[in-house]
Amino acid sequence: MIKVSIHASPEELPALIDALAAHGADFSLHSTSRVTEEWTEPVLERDVLDLLRTRAPSQYVDLFIAFVEGEVRDHGAVAELGTEKTSYVKLYVPGPRKVGAYVYVRPDRTYLDFRLPSSAADGCRFAAARNVQADNAHAVRLPLTTPDALPEAQRLARQAATEAGSA
């Protein structure tokens, strides 16, 4: 009798069983793996997800979804569509609204506008100060056109949410 120890993923097991059976092997199979996948509710509302998927250029869809999903899932942000014929998503701090959205997500134009003073863009690699009127609170813009920009977008979103929450 030959004793063999085989480590295989669940996906590889059917082919392994077929191969052993085809060679007339006498074997028994015991699985130690556990099902780890758990069904979870979608993070984003259908209308928000649809807007991101249809408005962002195809090469940037995943970046915009990752950003908005991260804000909602990890920080409890409230994601809402803009006006009736909208092309943007607004992110709010959860709870009573003291100020407007802390981020305007514009997938059609491939950028994010943060509710931050222009000085928040100092030292940023991707974000820049916008030339806006003094009463426009969204003075920092970040083009979300590369995965490298995502960490900076997340950092600015945390800063904007913190400032909006304490207003």
Side-chain angles (χ1 to χ4, degrees), residues 30 38 54 79 118 164 167:
H30 304 278
E38 187 177 304
T54 59
S118 59

Side-chain angles (χ1 to χ4, degrees), residues 54-114:
T54 59
R55 296 294 183 135
S58 60
Q59 68 268 35
Y60 306 131
V61 168
D62 291 342
L63 288 173
F64 280 90
I65 291 173
F67 175 77
V68 176
E69 278 186 344
E71 288 299 301
V72 171
R73 180 188 57 245
D74 300 339
H75 304 292
V78 177
E80 293 182 0
L81 296 182
T83 58
E84 186 177 316
K85 293 185 179 187
T86 192
S87 60
Y88 62 96
V89 175
K90 301 179 286 186
L91 296 179
Y92 292 96
V93 173
R97 293 190 184 151
K98 301 174 189 171
V99 295
Y102 70 92
V103 181
Y104 280 95
V105 179
R106 296 297 308 253
D108 59 329
R109 298 186 182 168
T110 67
Y111 62 71
L112 308 170
D113 283 339
F114 296 92

